[in-house]
């Protein structure tokens, strides 16, 4: 499933099973680019200003939720299928990769059908901003509701069991560090080697869950809007 906007393209892949992945698909090297981390460190203090450098992220957030809701609504169990269908009855587990200051993570954690949100980012500055902002809302004092981690996807994935080599019935029993929805919002364009990065993300999606990705559309309009106007002039 995918949706194209004038500057942003968002798509989702429903992960039926991770058992077809080779154990060698897991990346042991970090995808973190120090130059990119420094760039976002400099923006951390204005992350929650809806008219500041992250204004576009605030504007896009409702669209992200609408898209994920449509993905979840399209999930329907098949007769005699062992596949796990993400259900808000049990509470959905989210993993937000490259969460920044927590715009999406906070809003996802507030949803009534959410069980927990884990949000990770390699920038210590933006994680500090995210934690500080969340500390003012009592709902996030509930244990497990929203957790911010200063880490990379490779470090998180390396602590997970080797799910990809397990039978499907064992995958379903392995709930540690697997999520119903894994999101990568405006992250891929900051990664030098996307393939091993995505290989580290996939095992963290529960069978029947969704990997949701949005990135800058490869058009002249999006390039002028995001690269020239946003990054060069507005310093976003």
């Amino acid at each position: 499933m995918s949706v194209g906007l004038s500057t942003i393209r968002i798509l989702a892949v429903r992960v039926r099973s991770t058992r077809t992945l080779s154990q060698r698909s897991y990346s042991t090297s970090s995808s973190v680019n120090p130059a990119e981390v420094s760039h976002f460190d400099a923006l951390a203090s204005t992350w929650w200003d809806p008219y500041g450098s992250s204004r576009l992220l605030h504007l896009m957030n409702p669209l992200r939720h609408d898209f994920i809701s449509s993905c979840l609504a399209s999930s329907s169990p098949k007769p005699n299928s062992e596949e796990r269908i993400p259900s808000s009855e049990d509470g959905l587990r989210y993993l937000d990769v490259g969460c920044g200051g927590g715009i999406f993570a906070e809003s996802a954690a507030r949803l009534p059908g959410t069980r927990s949100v884990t949000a990770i980012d390699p920038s210590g500055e933006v994680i500090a901003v995210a934690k500080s902002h969340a500390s003012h809302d009592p709902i996030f004092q509930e244990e497990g509701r929203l957790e911010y981690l200063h880490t990379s996807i490779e470090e998180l994935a390396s602590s997970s069991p080797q799910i990809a080599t397990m039978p499907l019935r064992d995958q379903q029993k392995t709930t540690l560090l697997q999520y119903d929805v894994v999101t990568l919002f405006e992250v891929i364009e900051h990664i030098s080697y996307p393939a091993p990065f995505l290989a580290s993300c996939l095992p963290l999606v529960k069978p029947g869950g969704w990997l949701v990705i949005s990135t800058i559309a490869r058009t002249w309009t999006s390039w002028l809007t995001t690269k020239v106007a946003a990054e060069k002039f507005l310093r976003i």
Side-chain angles (χ1 to χ4, degrees), residues 62-176:
L63 300 177
R64 292 170 171 175
H65 282 290
D66 289 344
F67 182 76
I68 292 173
S69 294
S70 67
C71 292
L72 295 172
S74 70
S75 301
S76 57
K78 298 178 181 180
N80 303 321
S81 173
E82 294 183 351
E83 183 180 49
R84 184 195 182 284
I85 307 301
S87 170
S88 59
E89 294 180 2
D90 302 325
L92 296 173
R93 295 180 183 271
Y94 288 81
L95 172 63
D96 188 19
V97 181
C99 64
I103 295 171
F104 174 79
E106 274 202 17
S107 56
R110 289 192 181 94
L111 297 175
T114 295
R115 181 174 181 179
S116 67
V117 175
T118 301
I120 69 172
D121 201 284
S123 167
E125 294 290 335
V126 296
I127 285 293
V129 167
K131 289 181 176 180
S132 175
H133 192 272
S135 68
H136 299 293
D137 192 331
I139 190 175
F140 300 134
Q141 305 310 310
E142 178 186 339
E143 185 177 359
R145 168 68 70 167
L146 175 61
E147 181 180 20
Y148 286 112
L149 300 175
H150 177 209
T151 188
S152 68
I153 189 64
E154 292 83 10
E155 292 171 339
L156 188 66
S158 66
S159 64
S160 175
Q162 294 300 315
I163 300 162
T165 60
M166 296 179 181
L168 181 58
R169 62 179 179 275
D170 292 334
Q171 288 185 31
Q172 292 172 321
K173 296 175 183 177
T174 306
T175 57
L176 181 64

Side-chain angles (χ1 to χ4, degrees), residues 2-230:
S2 66
V3 173
L5 303 176
S6 59
T7 61
I8 301 296
R9 180 164 294 276
I10 183 168
L11 60 90
V13 177
R14 190 164 176 224
V15 179
R16 306 291 182 175
S17 170
T18 55
R19 61 180 171 176
T20 57
L21 294 173
S22 165
Q23 190 167 359
R24 285 178 289 181
S25 296
Y26 296 82
S27 174
T28 56
S29 60
S30 175
S31 60
V32 176
N33 183 329
E36 294 286 352
V37 172
S38 295
H39 171 72
F40 288 107
D41 280 347
L43 301 176
S45 63
T46 61
W47 208 277
W48 280 96
D49 181 356
Y51 302 102
S53 60
S54 299
R55 181 173 184 269
L56 184 60
L57 302 181
H58 288 271
L59 293 174
M60 289 192 300
N61 201 47
L63 300 177
R64 292 170 171 175
H65 282 290
D66 289 344
F67 182 76
I68 292 173
S69 294
S70 67
C71 292
L72 295 172
S74 70
S75 301
S76 57
K78 298 178 181 180
N80 303 321
S81 173
E82 294 183 351
E83 183 180 49
R84 184 195 182 284
I85 307 301
S87 170
S88 59
E89 294 180 2
D90 302 325
L92 296 173
R93 295 180 183 271
Y94 288 81
L95 172 63
D96 188 19
V97 181
C99 64
I103 295 171
F104 174 79
E106 274 202 17
S107 56
R110 289 192 181 94
L111 297 175
T114 295
R115 181 174 181 179
S116 67
V117 175
T118 301
I120 69 172
D121 201 284
S123 167
E125 294 290 335
V126 296
I127 285 293
V129 167
K131 289 181 176 180
S132 175
H133 192 272
S135 68
H136 299 293
D137 192 331
I139 190 175
F140 300 134
Q141 305 310 310
E142 178 186 339
E143 185 177 359
R145 168 68 70 167
L146 175 61
E147 181 180 20
Y148 286 112
L149 300 175
H150 177 209
T151 188
S152 68
I153 189 64
E154 292 83 10
E155 292 171 339
L156 188 66
S158 66
S159 64
S160 175
Q162 294 300 315
I163 300 162
T165 60
M166 296 179 181
L168 181 58
R169 62 179 179 275
D170 292 334
Q171 288 185 31
Q172 292 172 321
K173 296 175 183 177
T174 306
T175 57
L176 181 64
L177 292 178
Q178 277 195 299
Y179 303 86
D180 300 294
V181 180
V182 175
T183 58
L184 311 172
F185 292 133
E186 286 68 63
V187 171
I188 290 294
E189 60 266 32
H190 302 289
I191 302 297
S192 299
Y193 302 101
F197 172 77
L198 291 172
S200 294
C201 295
L202 283 172
L204 300 179
V205 186
K206 288 181 180 179
W210 289 90
L211 176 64
V212 184
I213 305 170
S214 67
T215 187
I216 305 301
R218 294 180 179 273
T219 65
W220 281 108
T221 300
S222 65
W223 183 80
L224 287 170
T225 302
T226 59
K227 290 295 183 181
V228 177

